[in-house]
Amino acid sequence: LYETYPPAHARRILDKLEFHYTPVHGSWLNMAEIEINVLSRQCLDRRIPDAATLQQEVAAWVGDRNKKKSQINWQFTTEDARIKLYRLYPSIDD
């Protein structure tokens, strides 16, 4: 930003940004995809006539999931990762 804008303007833009760490290999993305799949199967498995109804349906589904404290059963363990992604994990035995 500082290379493109004057310092005061760049600082105003920077103050509006919020940075979030995201893992390089995307396990968070897999969990998001799982949740979207559940939403599709449980809530969006029919024709919804308009955007307002869609918002109501999704809000009700989210409320129910939160009330039940639904969780994803993440089964990809560190050991699985070491096998599947062996090139990314250094060997301790060497």
Side-chain angles (χ1 to χ4, degrees):
L1 293 174
Y2 287 100
E3 292 176 5
T4 306
Y5 300 104
H9 186 66
R11 187 68 192 162
R12 279 194 306 273
I13 294 172
L14 188 59
D15 287 341
K16 293 179 182 181
L17 298 177
E18 185 175 339
F19 293 95
H20 296 274
Y21 169 77
T22 55
V24 176
H25 299 291
S27 63
W28 65 273
L29 184 58
N30 293 337
M31 289 187 276
E33 289 174 343
I34 290 168
E35 196 69 12
I36 290 170
N37 185 294
V38 173
L39 168 67
S40 294
R41 286 185 288 115
Q42 292 180 354
C43 180
L44 306 177
D45 58 347
R46 64 197 180 288
R47 187 179 185 295
I48 298 178
D50 53 47
T53 305
L54 174 63
Q55 288 177 331
Q56 290 173 348
E57 293 287 326
V58 171
W61 179 83
V62 168
D64 186 53
R65 294 272 296 172
N66 289 339
K67 186 172 63 176
K68 292 178 180 175
K69 297 183 180 181
S70 299
Q71 296 180 344
I72 295 172
N73 183 8
W74 190 248
Q75 297 179 5
F76 193 68
T77 65
T78 302
E79 292 77 26
D80 293 336
R82 289 190 192 284
I83 294 166
K84 190 167 182 98
L85 307 170
Y86 66 93
R87 283 178 255 112
L88 303 174
Y89 285 89
S91 176
I92 300 172
D93 300 334
D94 293 345

